[in-house]
Amino acid sequence: MGENLNLFTSTQHVIQDALTKLGYSEEMFELLKEPIRMLTVRIPIRMDDGKIKVFTGYRAQHNDSVGPTKGGVRFHPEVDEEEVKALSMWMSLKCGIVDLPYGGGKGGIICDPRTMSMGELERLSRGYVRAISQIVGPTKDIPAPDVYTNSQIMAWMMDEYSRLRENDSPGFITGKPLVLGGSQGREKATAQGVTICIEEAAKRKGIQIEGARVVVQGFGNAGSYLAKFMHDAGAKVIAISDAHGALHDPDGLDIDYLLDRRDSFGTVTTLFENTLSNQELLELDCDILVPAAVSNQITAANAHNIKATIVVEAANGPTTVEATKILSERGILLVPDVLASAGGVTVSYFEWVQNNQGYYWTEEEVNDKLRAKLVEAFANVYDTSVNRQVNMRLAAYMVGARKMSEASRFRGWV
């Protein structure tokens, strides 16, 4: 709980810093420091053993001045109100950075899906939609998958919403299976976005991707796709890691072989001897370092030992505030998580657009549109960073906060 309260207060500080730099008044911060709407629901579910269990769920809508709110729903035992609020604020910033017509939203249910049957998960997913149906919809608030939720859960939620509304509403939710109006390219979207950011950062630093030495921390969904994209682009992926350790080869690892061997949890290092620790992995000599695992990996303790020229955050919050300062002072180009991981929400937006017009794009079209969005977003953040002489993280927050602040002002809210 304490950790999530910190996440919430640190997110508030971030927004305050950005608004101060942009020259907005205290009133604007008062409006944006908390979600505009926060719903807590209780969901009674009949479990397989016949007993009734009551679950607690949340939905936060941070700011809808720009358009409907958008954000994932996570099923996790540690979900709490502060976390959901903070993540909805992050989503607002992310949507502002990639210039989508959305504000941020986030939802969650306190549960452990790993101990639940498919039937129980379906009943819980449908119960959640019934509980929040008054405040969500294709023009109000659009959920999506997040931690421990997937396209099947999105499909149940869409079906339940369509029953309640008595019309088919594919645009109510994104991350759906393709047959129910999902988008091509959604699975790989986050990793694709990180890849585009790596390419743009490399251009700014005069590094050729072909032959560049890349280190990827984490070999889950994002990390493994990323390693593959980099490998296919001709980069040398010299190290990868999972929760158990790291593999290193200065001549480049055989990524296809490793992808073949990893288990469903993204674990592969247990098959090898002589592994490195995650700490050693971060300090390897390389051109591009991609933390794609968990938060708080680069800290004041090791920031001075980072040897990469570019650090691209594919995980959420892998670099602490102190470490961000140290890396910037050392001239390392840090591409922050809010920008680097914005590929997912961008393709979610494309899915919603396709649902609204009933016309669907090829994977190639989706990827072209994604590239255009992210190249523009990267340039915007990079130029802000150079012109305002602030680090890339603060620049990203400034770009992210600008759109909802202007919209709130034009609406006469502040």
Side-chain angles (χ1 to χ4, degrees):
M1 173 72 205
E3 198 176 292
N4 291 337
L5 195 58
N6 293 349
L7 178 68
F8 181 55
T9 49
S10 64
T11 307
Q12 288 184 322
H13 290 313
V14 157
I15 289 182
Q16 189 160 29
D17 282 355
L19 292 174
T20 307
K21 278 274 184 225
L22 290 167
Y24 280 103
S25 65
E26 188 58 32
E27 287 116 324
M28 188 63 81
F29 175 62
E30 277 300 310
L31 174 68
L32 299 180
K33 76 176 186 185
E34 290 253 358
I36 257 172
R37 228 171 265 107
M38 177 77 198
L39 184 64
T40 303
V41 294
R42 302 278 284 153
I43 312 160
I45 299 297
R46 189 173 295 283
M47 305 304 275
D48 292 347
D49 63 6
K51 293 198 175 79
I52 297 287
K53 191 170 171 189
V54 184
F55 293 87
T56 299
Y58 302 101
R59 188 71 189 171
Q61 300 174 344
H62 176 237
N63 182 283
D64 53 8
S65 60
V66 173
T69 49
K70 177 97 193 71
V73 179
R74 51 180 54 186
F75 285 10
H76 197 278
E78 306 286 308
V79 164
D80 70 30
E81 194 171 335
E82 303 302 342
E83 177 186 51
V84 172
K85 282 184 179 179
L87 292 168
S88 74
M89 290 154 81
W90 277 111
M91 283 303 300
S92 281
L93 291 169
K94 224 180 237 193
C95 293
I97 288 165
V98 265
D99 195 24
L100 305 179
Y102 289 147
K106 203 72 179 189
I109 300 175
I110 304 170
C111 66
D112 191 348
R114 293 163 298 190
T115 62
M116 295 168 71
S117 70
M118 286 302 267
E120 290 169 340
L121 282 172
E122 176 174 355
R123 295 194 286 279
L124 182 59
S125 303
R126 291 179 181 277
Y128 179 69
V129 171
R130 288 196 297 276
I132 65 168
S133 68
Q134 299 300 312
I135 67 163
V136 294
T139 57
K140 291 184 188 171
D141 180 15
I142 304 135
D146 203 291
V147 179
Y148 292 141
T149 55
N150 56 22
S151 58
Q152 175 59 73
I153 286 172
M154 300 303 107
W156 289 326
M157 289 186 175
M158 181 192 93
D159 183 65
E160 191 63 27
Y161 187 81
S162 301
R163 288 181 190 191
L164 291 169
R165 291 286 174 268
E166 295 187 2
N167 58 14
D168 197 35
S169 314
F172 148 69
I173 205 162
T174 60
K176 301 181 294 292
L178 283 174
V179 290
L180 293 181
S183 177
Q184 294 284 353
R186 178 68 187 87
E187 283 291 299
K188 300 177 190 164
T190 305
Q192 198 93 40
V194 178
T195 306
I196 295 165
C197 285
I198 291 173
E199 290 166 3
E200 291 303 299
K203 277 181 205 160
R204 304 298 196 283
K205 281 285 190 183
I207 295 174
Q208 288 287 329
I209 292 290
E210 199 164 329
R213 295 162 306 151
V214 180
V215 170
V216 181
Q217 181 196 27
F219 211 50
N221 190 16
S224 56
Y225 272 130
L226 249 171
K228 174 90 177 114
F229 289 153
M230 290 285 96
H231 181 70
D232 293 351
K236 277 202 291 202
V237 181
I238 60 166
I240 62 108
S241 73
D242 55 33
H244 302 282
L247 303 176
H248 175 223
D249 180 348
D251 299 326
L253 295 161
D254 182 346
I255 296 299
D256 292 324
Y257 172 74
L258 294 177
L259 287 172
D260 251 3
R261 301 293 303 274
R262 75 186 188 129
D263 67 18
S264 58
F265 299 104
T267 306
V268 71
T269 60
T270 44
L271 306 172
F272 297 86
E273 317 250 305
N274 323 337
T275 54
L276 303 179
S277 70
N278 261 296
Q279 215 41 62
E280 292 169 314
L281 167 106
L282 293 170
E283 298 178 9
L284 286 170
D285 194 356
C286 64
D287 300 304
I288 300 161
L289 170 63
V290 187
V294 287
S295 55
N296 299 333
Q297 294 302 293
I298 303 175
T299 61
N302 64 0
H304 287 290
N305 306 333
I306 303 289
K307 297 177 186 67
T309 309
I310 299 168
V311 175
V312 181
E313 298 183 335
N316 283 332
T319 318
T320 63
V321 178
E322 297 82 20
T324 300
K325 285 199 182 84
I326 296 168
L327 295 181
S328 308
E329 279 160 15
R330 293 184 54 211
I332 294 172
L333 178 57
L334 175 73
V335 184
D337 47 9
V338 277
L339 167 60
S341 64
V345 68
T346 306
V347 176
S348 268
Y349 162 65
F350 295 160
E351 183 177 330
W352 177 77
V353 169
Q354 293 168 82
N355 295 153
N356 287 347
Q357 59 181 7
Y359 176 73
Y360 291 81
W361 307 332
T362 62
E363 187 163 356
E364 202 179 343
E365 281 177 276
V366 172
N367 287 340
D368 287 348
K369 289 180 166 68
L370 174 62
R371 176 170 296 278
K373 268 279 184 214
L374 281 176
V375 166
E376 187 185 358
F378 188 96
N380 208 346
V381 172
Y382 186 81
D383 295 347
T384 302
S385 153
V386 173
N387 298 339
R388 303 293 288 262
Q389 294 185 321
V390 295
N391 65 45
M392 286 282 283
R393 194 184 303 284
L394 185 51
Y397 297 151
M398 288 165 68
V399 171
R402 188 178 287 139
K403 190 168 178 171
M404 57 179 163
S405 305
E406 280 186 21
S408 300
R409 209 187 58 215
F410 274 123
R411 282 181 182 272
W413 293 356
V414 171

